[in-house]
Amino acid sequence: MARYHAPGRVNLIGEHTDYAGGLVLPVAIDRGVTLTCLPAAGICLRSSADPARVEGFGRYVAALAEELEELGVGPAGIDGDIDSNLPIGAGLASSAALLVAAGMALNDAAGAELDPMALAGACRRAEERAVGVPCGIMDDAIAVLAEPGHALLLDCGTLAHRQVPLPPALGLVVVDSGTPRRLADTGYATRRGELERALAGDLDETTSRRLRHLRSENARVEAAAAALERGDVEELGAILAAGHASLRDDYEVSTPELDLLVALALDAGAWAARMTGGGFGGSIVALAPTDRCPAVAAGVAAGYRAATGRVTEPIVATAAAGARRLE
Ligand code: GLA
């Protein structure tokens, strides 16, 4: 039996920029998908942890096997069990983690040596093939390229990238709003279409705001990478606040719950906070002093419950390594 692990991610800044060739700054977290499997004739997956989801998992991995075959990898199959400690549907890139872990397994089963970014590209296309979500490369790229203690500064147009060290005293708190979110059912494809119209020169009141977000967000990614390198947490707070406001007002992908969680995290002593991922629900990320993270997590959960009645279990996360074969 071989075991593969691929991490989920939070994105520090650079949201809804990847599919427009922009900049992103994600971090892999110490939660993800682990696949234990053997090479097989076809694709046969189980999930002792989450039996109800197996059908969906199978659809993604079957689409990936087809994408890999188009690259000359396979035909290959796997028979195995999926385990995950990453909340699904929380905007933490669980589908990319599943695809990247399965992609490594299929690559080994075929005896191939696909380079990590080629695997990431195949995973991105597989998601589009499986569920029709025209997502960008960010989630798959961070899952293959992450290094512990670092964020990844990635130019999604050229795929040029570099690792940005996180200040040692900086901790991550991830809070799921617990509101239902499935990219296939949300405005993700609509937003992408609006931005593409704007980039093609079709500017009206709405598409102009989408374009303003793209431009201001790309500048914020560069500023945030520089602030991280200087350890300037005050500046990070201002940049993430501006990023959240732009997603709320110009891109219109935030929700009242995400806005509330961001405010609660700042009240509880976080240096910076914003929604993370595609939005329309999902999670926020807060940056706080490592030793204050448990208190921020507890404060946000209590405030959220008091205001909405919803129970959330924040994750105090660390910046983890990318996908790997465990044994
Ligand atoms: C989702 C997509 C990513 C990216 C983000 C928004 O997570 O899968 O490719 O577009 O939304 O930044």
Side-chain angles (χ1 to χ4, degrees):
M1 286 275 188
R3 285 174 71 221
Y4 302 85
H5 177 83
R9 63 98 188 92
V10 285
N11 187 19
L12 299 186
I13 191 94
E15 219 67 85
H16 287 277
T17 53
D18 61 351
Y19 51 74
L23 301 175
V24 294
L25 191 64
V27 176
I29 58 173
D30 52 334
R31 298 270 190 130
V33 171
T34 303
L35 170 65
T36 307
C37 63
L38 285 170
I43 300 211
C44 178
L45 295 171
R46 293 168 297 286
S47 177
S48 357
D50 198 352
R53 302 230 181 224
V54 152
E55 206 177 309
F57 293 157
R59 183 154 51 126
Y60 278 92
V61 178
L64 177 60
E66 289 174 38
E67 287 295 338
L68 290 175
E69 265 199 71
E70 288 187 9
L71 298 177
V73 176
I78 46 173
D79 182 328
D81 193 83
I82 296 163
D83 196 7
S84 170
N85 61 2
L86 190 63
I88 290 181
L92 303 177
S94 55
S95 54
L98 167 71
L99 284 164
V100 168
M104 292 183 85
L106 288 166
N107 184 67
D108 284 357
E113 289 202 10
L114 201 59
D115 109 348
M117 278 309 275
L119 173 60
C123 292
R124 192 209 69 72
R125 293 190 299 279
E127 176 134 14
E128 194 159 356
R129 190 190 276 246
V131 288
V133 178
C135 52
I137 193 72
M138 169 170 72
D139 301 348
D140 314 285
I142 183 66
V144 298
L145 295 176
E147 285 185 9
H150 289 75
L152 177 76
L153 176 59
L154 171 69
D155 180 323
C156 299
T158 63
L159 299 184
H161 53 85
R162 74 182 170 84
Q163 303 288 341
V164 178
L166 299 178
L170 183 144
L172 303 169
V173 182
V174 184
V175 192
D176 180 5
S177 64
T179 50
R181 171 185 166 282
R182 286 183 50 217
L183 285 185
D185 301 344
T186 63
Y188 186 88
T190 310
R191 287 294 175 281
R192 182 173 176 158
E194 289 164 349
L195 186 60
E196 277 165 2
R197 268 175 43 218
L199 288 168
D202 178 3
L203 292 173
D204 55 28
E205 199 275 327
T206 300
T207 57
S208 300
R209 280 189 291 126
R210 308 299 188 239
L211 186 59
R212 185 166 62 185
H213 168 75
L214 174 69
R215 295 197 168 139
S216 63
E217 187 79 347
N218 279 328
R220 281 188 289 272
V221 175
E222 288 186 324
L228 275 178
E229 280 167 334
R230 292 195 309 272
D232 186 344
V233 294
E234 209 170 301
E235 178 70 5
L236 278 173
I239 295 167
L240 267 65
H244 185 82
S246 180
L247 287 165
R248 184 191 59 213
D249 302 335
D250 278 353
Y251 223 71
E252 296 180 279
V253 294
S254 189
T255 62
E257 290 85 357
L258 291 169
D259 298 345
L260 172 65
L261 287 172
V262 166
L264 290 168
L266 295 171
D267 280 354
W271 284 322
R274 59 180 281 280
M275 56 157 280
T276 190
F280 303 102
S283 297
I284 68 148
V285 59
L287 311 181
T290 323
D291 57 358
R292 291 259 330 145
C293 284
V296 169
V300 174
Y304 196 52
R305 186 166 191 170
T308 66
R310 287 181 189 276
V311 175
T312 183
E313 290 177 13
I315 299 172
V316 176
T318 56
R324 60 211 175 271
R325 184 171 172 158
L326 299 175
E327 58 201 47

